């Protein structure tokens, strides 16, 4: 019986890593593989496309353009926030990543770009937006038992 291949709806387990094209590591599952169902929103669509057709034990390395990864950087996601909106005890520095609460109660991350006396410049773009990323994946398991037969 042939080994199942990954397709939309497959329950998969894999190791993967993301790096910049210069080799700078960005993320690695290391010793803890990721398990998810393809199409459930866990992975970006561009990452999922790179996994379709892989069977257990197979590996794939692809360089993804920004539009297939985290998109282009958006200038409107760089915001000036009054310094007074931060707790007085918070020591703000450029490069610092902070959690922010959104009006709907969700949280998002922002990177401090600059700190001035009266305002803080914060970038809410994903840190990998606007960049090509190298996506390496090693498929560990593929379970298609939950996919209806045609």
């Amino acid at each position: 019986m042939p080994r199942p291949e990954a397709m939309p709806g497959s329950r998969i387990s894999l190791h993967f890593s993301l790096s910049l094209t210069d080799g700078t590591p960005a993320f690695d599952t290391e010793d803890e593989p990721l398990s998810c169902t393809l199409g459930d929103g866990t992975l970006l669509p561009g990452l999922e496309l790179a996994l379709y057709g892989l069977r257990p034990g197979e590996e794939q390395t692809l360089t993804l353009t920004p539009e297939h990864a985290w998109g282009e950087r958006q200038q409107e996601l760089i915001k000036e926030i009054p310094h007074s909106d931060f707790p007085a005890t918070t020591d703000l520095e450029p490069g610092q990543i902070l959690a922010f609460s959104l009006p709907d109660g969700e949280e998002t991350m922002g990177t401090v770009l600059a700190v001035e006396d009266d305002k803080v410049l914060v970038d809410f773009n994903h840190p990998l937006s606007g960049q090509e990323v190298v996506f390496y994946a090693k498929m560990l398991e593929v379970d298609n038992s939950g996919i209806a037969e045609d």
Side-chain angles (χ1 to χ4, degrees):
M1 184 167 149
R3 296 177 299 162
E5 69 179 44
M7 63 182 74
S10 295
R11 179 92 185 131
I12 63 166
S13 178
L14 76 158
H15 277 296
F16 77 94
S17 65
L18 297 167
S19 61
L20 303 181
T21 54
D22 68 2
T24 303
F27 180 81
D28 193 332
T29 59
E30 295 179 20
D31 298 328
E32 186 67 35
L34 172 75
S35 295
C36 66
T37 300
L38 291 176
D40 71 0
T42 300
L43 295 171
L44 292 172
L47 300 182
E48 285 194 356
L49 283 172
L51 300 174
Y52 293 153
L54 288 182
R55 291 177 158 75
E58 293 181 339
E59 300 176 32
Q60 170 107 283
T61 301
L62 293 173
T63 299
L64 301 173
T65 59
E67 57 268 18
H68 289 107
W70 279 270
E72 295 295 342
R73 297 189 59 69
Q74 298 176 44
Q75 191 62 36
E76 62 271 17
L77 293 179
I78 297 175
K79 306 284 186 190
E80 284 185 0
I81 300 174
H83 203 283
S84 59
D85 284 3
F86 295 88
T89 57
T90 304
D91 190 23
L92 299 169
E93 314 179 347
Q96 190 174 17
I97 298 173
L98 301 172
F100 292 84
S101 295
L102 298 173
D104 63 5
E106 292 289 315
E107 264 197 3
T108 190
M109 304 305 281
T111 304
V112 175
L113 297 179
V115 181
E116 298 176 14
D117 289 336
D118 58 342
K119 64 186 174 196
V120 179
L121 196 61
V122 179
D123 186 352
F124 290 100
N125 282 288
H126 188 281
L128 294 175
S129 65
Q131 300 188 58
E132 287 189 343
V133 293
V134 178
F135 175 56
Y136 162 80
K138 180 174 183 179
M139 189 64 67
L140 302 175
E141 297 174 15
V142 176
D143 177 2
N144 290 333
S145 62
I147 300 174
E149 299 280 329
D150 291 49

